[in-house]
Amino acid sequence: WKNFDVDKETRGVVFVNAGLGQTQKPWHPDHTGGSYMNARINSWWLVLILLLYCFVPFSGQAEDAEKTIQTITVVSDDNYPPYIFRDFDGDIQGILVDEWKLWEKKTGIKINLIAMDWSKAQEFFLNGNADVIDTIFFNEERAKQYDFTKPYATINVPVFFHKNLGGIVDIESLQGFTIGVKAGDACIEVLKENGITSLQEFNSYEAIIKAAKDRRIKVFSIDKPPALYYLYKMNFEDEFRYSLNLYTGKFHRAVKKGRTDILKTVEDGFALITKKEHNAIEKKWMGESFSRPAYLRYVLFFFLLGGLIFLVLVFLNITLQKKVRSKTSELQDLIKQLRLSEEKYRLLIENQKDMFVKFDPKGRLQFVSPSYCNTFGKTQEELLGEKFMPLIHEDDRKGVADAVANVLKPPYSTRVEERAMTKEGWRWQEWHNTAILDKNNEVEAIVAVGRDIDERKHAETALKKSEKQFQDLFNSINDLIYTQ
């Protein structure tokens, strides 16, 4: 039935049969016979139409119910410890594996988690073989093809370089080096945008670290967590340094552009995982520090105990102050005696072969012993007020400066070996430095005691050279050597 209208003559509803083009009128008080039957037939048609109208929405809902997501295929990198990597048997494991299993349990939706080399994982996803891709960084180029979840982890991407290299402080300083990268990584675009095109691609982070260990590459840029994992695993962490952070990325999960239904399902599922559950998974794979938060409940007790001890110390301090006053006169007598003995100590220092100096924190000499003056062939007038650093060999100045810096903080004592220009030429000396503190526990001066160790240093050098010559000779002998 196509249409209906009100018949002005009968004041009833008129139905138009779409197929026959006929008009029929329902029952009216003035109608009799056939008209009454026609009215009943048309009424049943009206009921049928209303039923069909009501049925259509429920049918659509049933069809939508059939489209409920039952299984989701997720593809990810398989070489990203501790997030996802393979065990000895080749099975995937890690934080993301456990979190997706928990997601499956929370939502009731089956997860098919597949891990492969990162470049292949992206190709696998874009070819429509997976619904979700994990362990992916956001960038504007990818945003044209992907819709991203909120980030769930922040990842630093440093540049690693061999310990013998220096001067790598920014991206421009990478010019001329071949940089090891993982195929498909976002760092490739960052490097190329900055003019770094000499790149050597590998399928996995582990392959990059192996190449570095085999000395096939000297510089590489990979995400920090897997880099540290494989460097420590291969016992190779001391051979490489990092100082330049290329960029900081964030882990997302992503779907194909426009698949907001899957995106919402993924985010809603992870929202069901509590912080406690997430922390338990992280603790499993990342471990925990030696300081246990459970012990924090004892902090208040120790604070109270410390407060009690403080009060006791205050009481004792007041008592001691009274005793100090009574001892002041005795101390004044001792000071007089010390002044008398000062002359004795001065004579002792002047006759010592070891050198004694006193200088301020900036290295200006305040006192020099006669033995120091004699060693350097200078008078006290020439040395006092001057800095001693110009007398030190240029290659040793940094070590001496570090020693002076260290003596300014607890335990206020350092030892250093240096070469100094004496009146006899460059000679090795050994110095022990001790800080003098004022009443505010600030360093006001440094006292240093030094002695000549030139003969000992040359003897050590000669011994090492002799040992090396003997070792080289021994290694070059082809005959069998044995002892009885």
Side-chain angles (χ1 to χ4, degrees), residues 312-331:
V312 172
L313 290 175
V314 169
F315 173 77
L316 293 174
N317 185 53
I318 295 173
T319 305
L320 288 172
Q321 283 181 354
K322 294 179 180 179
K323 294 183 178 180
V324 167
R325 292 190 190 100
S326 66
K327 295 290 183 179
T328 302
S329 60
E330 297 177 13
L331 290 174

Side-chain angles (χ1 to χ4, degrees), residues 200-322:
Q200 184 176 352
E201 295 189 9
F202 295 82
N203 288 330
S204 67
Y205 291 137
E206 187 174 10
I208 294 176
I209 303 300
K210 286 182 178 178
K213 187 173 184 179
D214 295 339
R215 300 180 181 275
R216 288 184 282 130
I217 55 172
K218 299 291 186 182
V219 184
F220 58 88
S221 177
I222 66 178
D223 297 1
K224 188 175 179 181
L228 296 181
Y229 177 88
Y230 287 117
L231 283 170
Y232 279 102
K233 182 179 180 181
M234 298 181 191
N235 196 26
F236 199 56
E237 69 279 6
D238 292 334
E239 295 299 313
F240 273 79
R241 307 281 187 267
Y242 69 91
S243 61
L244 168 62
N245 194 55
L246 196 60
Y247 67 100
T248 298
K250 296 182 183 237
F251 266 169
H252 299 258
R253 300 174 178 98
V255 300
K256 276 194 175 180
K257 198 74 176 176
R259 289 309 306 267
T260 54
D261 55 333
I262 299 178
L263 189 70
K264 186 176 186 305
T265 300
V266 170
E267 287 194 312
D268 290 348
F270 278 105
L272 298 174
I273 298 177
T274 66
K275 185 176 181 179
K276 182 177 180 181
E277 291 170 327
H278 175 76
N279 290 341
I281 292 174
E282 273 207 347
K283 180 180 176 182
K284 171 184 174 182
W285 292 101
M286 301 290 290
E288 60 179 328
S289 61
F290 290 108
S291 58
R292 298 178 179 272
Y295 289 2
L296 292 178
R297 59 184 178 178
Y298 298 106
V299 170
L300 180 60
F301 169 77
F302 285 114
F303 270 116
L304 293 174
L305 180 61
L308 180 61
I309 294 173
F310 175 77
L311 292 175
V312 172
L313 290 175
V314 169
F315 173 77
L316 293 174
N317 185 53
I318 295 173
T319 305
L320 288 172
Q321 283 181 354
K322 294 179 180 179

